[in-house]
Amino acid sequence: MTDDFRASDLQRDELAGVVDLFGALAPGELEEALEELAFKRQASVDADVVAEAVDDAIAAFALVRYEDDGETLLAPGPAAFPSLPEHVEDLPHILEVPTREVDRETADAAVAERLRTAAARAVAEEDDAEMRRLLDVTYDVDVWSDTVAVDDIRARLDDALDGDS
């Protein structure tokens, strides 16, 4: 291998694209997929780098982590614009990973819970930048899900931001 994947090489939307190719992936399956992509690029990828990139994508709401029948899965999140990285077309033939249907109810609930927690923390910490970012995420969630109600979260963030003016 001539080079290593860095966390910055693992773009959020590309991670969402790889996951979306299969519907949902377990974290280990995503790591395996990224190892295959790195191999095709004559590079290597470290598990810590993958974990860092996945955590970043989850924090940005580009991926959602949820539990389905006791298994942790990742699915494209509300802030993702899934795109396919180079050499991804061979992954379904290389990996022995089933195509999964995302459990929308469970994924939606995970996003709602995470968004409420993040908004409460941002308001408590008076973090205007984070409140603005999360306010944008509420609009992404509106488009992404018909079942996640975010009006109360949006109002709380708006109120907190208006109180700073």
Side-chain angles (χ1 to χ4, degrees):
M1 300 290 165
T2 59
D3 198 5
D4 290 334
F5 260 9
R6 297 173 306 279
S8 60
D9 293 329
L10 303 174
Q11 301 298 316
R12 296 171 184 157
D13 290 338
E14 289 181 340
L15 289 172
V18 171
V19 170
D20 193 42
L21 189 62
F22 295 92
L25 287 174
E29 294 168 341
L30 178 56
E31 182 180 343
E32 186 179 348
L34 295 174
E35 287 171 356
E36 288 294 334
L37 290 176
F39 177 78
K40 289 198 170 274
R41 296 178 184 180
Q42 297 183 340
S44 62
V45 66
D46 183 274
D48 292 337
V49 170
V50 172
E52 179 184 336
V54 168
D55 287 347
D56 175 65
I58 290 168
F61 290 88
L63 288 177
V64 58
R65 179 184 294 138
Y66 69 99
E67 296 291 321
D68 188 17
D69 291 331
E71 182 178 25
T72 300
L73 294 174
L74 301 167
F81 293 96
S83 61
L84 297 175
E86 196 175 357
H87 305 298
V88 76
E89 63 278 352
D90 294 331
L91 286 180
H93 307 292
I94 295 171
L95 300 178
E96 293 183 18
V97 174
T99 299
R100 295 182 179 96
E101 201 163 311
V102 176
D103 180 337
R104 293 300 308 183
E105 185 177 319
T106 306
D108 288 359
V111 165
E113 180 181 331
R114 207 175 149 285
L115 185 56
R116 284 183 202 295
T117 301
R121 183 175 26 251
V123 169
E125 294 173 358
E126 299 179 0
D127 184 341
D128 287 1
E130 181 67 357
M131 285 188 276
R132 284 187 186 86
R133 184 184 79 81
L134 294 171
L135 193 58
D136 286 344
V137 171
T138 66
Y139 292 103
D140 294 332
V141 171
D142 275 343
V143 174
W144 182 75
S145 171
D146 293 333
T147 63
V148 177
V150 294
D151 291 344
D152 61 325
I153 299 170
R154 187 177 299 126
R156 183 174 186 189
L157 292 167
D158 275 334
D159 289 347
L161 288 166
D162 286 345
D164 289 342
S165 347

